[in-house]
Amino acid sequence: MALRCLLKSPTTSPYISKICGFRMHGTKAVASVVEEHVSAMLRSEREDGEYADVDWDNLGFSLGLIEGMKAYRGEDGRVLMFRPELNAMRMKNGAERMCMHSPSVQQFMEGVKQTVLANKRWVPPPGKGSLYLRPLLFGSGASLGVSAASEYTFVVFGSPVQNYFKEGTAALNLYVEEVVPRAYIGGTGAVKAISNYGPVLDAVRRAKARGFSDVLYLDAETKKNIEEVSAANIFLVKGNTIVTPATNGTILRGIIRESVIEIALDLGYKVEERVVPVEELKEAEEVFCTGTAAGIASVGSITFQNIRTEYKVGDGLVTQQLRSILVGIQTGSIQDTKHWILVID
């Protein structure tokens, strides 16, 4: 089996900053750099200054991709990544579920690191956004049959982004979808694959046409329990208790989700991972979503069966407390005592 790694630059240069070739033999992989081209354009960009010529204040998320990982610029100018080894392990585990050969954790990490190093000038200044990275694995072998591919390509795309939701830092307004489920038991709901996102695009389109920010989905079996937002996990806050649906095979085990749970426990909150009936939405004081793209996003309201329930938003709340700590760790302004940060240099 062959696995190729193309580390692409977001610039307009026709050159690929580095191509790493991974040749797969069963479960053993040998990595070798087979070609490297750095264009005159890229060289001049690196020499001209620390940042690319970008309007960082109006970045938006139109150039980004719906999920992946981010590189942040710290106040001291260092470029930081948040728990990238978990992304590597998640791709490896997901590839096994999808019968695909994948890069090792070491190969994944090296590919991402080289992509960031080649595009450091595209990492926004502190507080202006992040360099969004989309590691992608797909079958590229010469086969049209319904079977596992004979060859796979691993590509890392990168682009500077700001907020994922058009509301920016404003609270989201969610709509509970009762007809279309996001995932089924025995399916690939827990796998980071396109099969998690393509099926919900129509539901999201319809919800946004009605003025909602995104969609909250119910379980496919009973349609009585909440599961996930389209590309984010969801949390409910009730007093000193934080509740989130358990990852039972239909819900993606988000890296930000896991981090928020750990931070909340450190702060003394009680965290419950369990089945969450949709009726509990009426009991929550605060609601927030988590994801690589979304970060920690406050939810201002959720509409279910034409009944709108509103939640507390703003400073001094649990959501803001968790967001401040998470962002502080990600950007280096809070000491990383958990060894979650990788410095790219």
Side-chain angles (χ1 to χ4, degrees):
M1 299 288 184
L3 173 63
R4 295 178 295 166
C5 172
L6 307 184
L7 309 182
K8 312 259 310 179
S9 167
T11 68
T12 57
S13 166
Y15 292 94
I16 295 173
S17 56
K18 181 168 285 187
I19 306 176
C20 295
F22 302 127
R23 184 63 55 175
M24 304 291 290
H25 301 283
T27 58
K28 182 180 179 181
V30 179
S32 62
V33 177
V34 296
E35 187 175 1
E36 183 172 357
H37 292 299
V38 180
S39 70
M41 180 181 292
L42 284 178
R43 289 195 187 97
S44 63
E45 284 175 349
R46 290 172 180 169
E47 294 169 357
D48 287 345
E50 186 179 0
Y51 294 106
D53 184 15
V54 174
D55 182 1
W56 302 111
D57 291 316
N58 295 290
L59 204 54
F61 207 92
S62 59
L63 297 176
L65 297 145
I66 61 174
E67 257 276 43
M69 52 206 304
K70 291 178 178 178
Y72 302 87
R73 180 86 60 175
E75 293 292 342
D76 59 2
R78 296 183 304 167
V79 175
L80 313 172
M81 294 200 68
F82 184 74
R83 310 186 78 175
E85 72 284 352
L86 296 187
N87 293 88
M89 289 186 283
R90 184 166 63 185
M91 173 171 279
K92 188 172 179 61
N93 293 335
E96 291 177 2
R97 171 64 178 84
M98 303 297 286
C99 300
M100 302 171 72
H101 287 275
S102 69
S104 68
V105 171
Q106 182 180 357
Q107 291 167 346
F108 180 102
M109 295 282 285
E110 182 64 17
V112 168
K113 181 179 179 179
Q114 292 301 325
T115 301
V116 176
L117 284 173
N119 299 283
K120 286 182 70 173
R121 294 181 67 252
W122 293 88
V123 181
K128 299 295 185 180
S130 59
L131 179 67
Y132 200 90
L133 300 166
R134 178 59 168 171
L136 178 65
L137 180 67
F138 63 91
S140 53
S143 174
L144 295 178
V146 183
S147 63
S150 59
E151 180 181 277
Y152 295 89
T153 299
F154 173 55
V155 186
V156 179
F157 294 96
S159 178
V161 297
Q162 201 172 66
N163 294 302
Y164 175 62
F165 293 104
K166 69 176 183 179
E167 290 84 353
T169 57
L172 307 178
N173 298 302
L174 303 181
Y175 174 77
V176 178
E177 172 62 50
E178 297 183 74
V179 178
V180 178
R182 178 188 160 275
Y184 297 85
I185 294 176
T188 58
V191 178
K192 189 81 170 170
I194 193 59
S195 56
N196 273 347
Y197 305 104
V200 304
L201 293 180
D202 184 59
V204 173
R205 178 186 58 80
R206 287 187 282 106
K208 289 187 175 182
R210 297 175 58 188
F212 295 101
S213 309
D214 210 332
V215 176
L216 174 60
Y217 299 90
L218 302 178
D219 70 294
E221 187 175 13
T222 70
K223 295 186 178 180
K224 294 181 178 180
N225 307 307
I226 63 172
E227 291 212 322
E228 271 195 83
V229 181
S230 300
N233 296 115
I234 190 165
F235 289 78
L236 280 61
V237 181
K238 297 187 286 186
N240 197 55
T241 300
I242 299 175
V243 181
T244 189
T247 52
N248 57 2
T250 59
I251 297 174
L252 188 69
R253 199 177 187 88
I255 294 168
I256 302 299
R257 174 188 183 275
E258 300 300 298
S259 305
V260 165
I261 289 174
E262 191 167 336
I263 292 170
L265 291 172
D266 290 345
L267 292 172
Y269 292 103
K270 179 182 179 182
V271 179
E272 297 178 357
E273 298 180 71
R274 58 173 173 80
V275 173
V276 183
V278 67
E279 288 80 11
E280 283 195 37
L281 293 175
K282 299 177 182 179
E283 304 170 8
E285 300 166 11
E286 299 175 51
V287 176
F288 61 88
C289 299
T290 65
T292 300
I296 299 180
S298 300
V299 175
S301 72
I302 299 179
T303 299
F304 174 57
Q305 295 182 343
N306 295 320
I307 298 176
R308 177 186 173 105
T309 302
E310 298 188 347
Y311 306 101
K312 296 178 181 179
V313 296
D315 296 334
L317 300 176
V318 175
T319 303
Q320 181 58 36
Q321 181 185 25
L322 294 171
R323 182 190 296 119
S324 296
I325 294 174
L326 177 69
V327 173
I329 295 173
Q330 290 174 326
T331 58
S333 62
I334 293 179
Q335 184 178 2
D336 174 29
T337 60
K338 297 179 178 294
H339 307 291
W340 284 350
I341 294 299
L342 174 67
V343 179
I344 304 296
D345 52 21

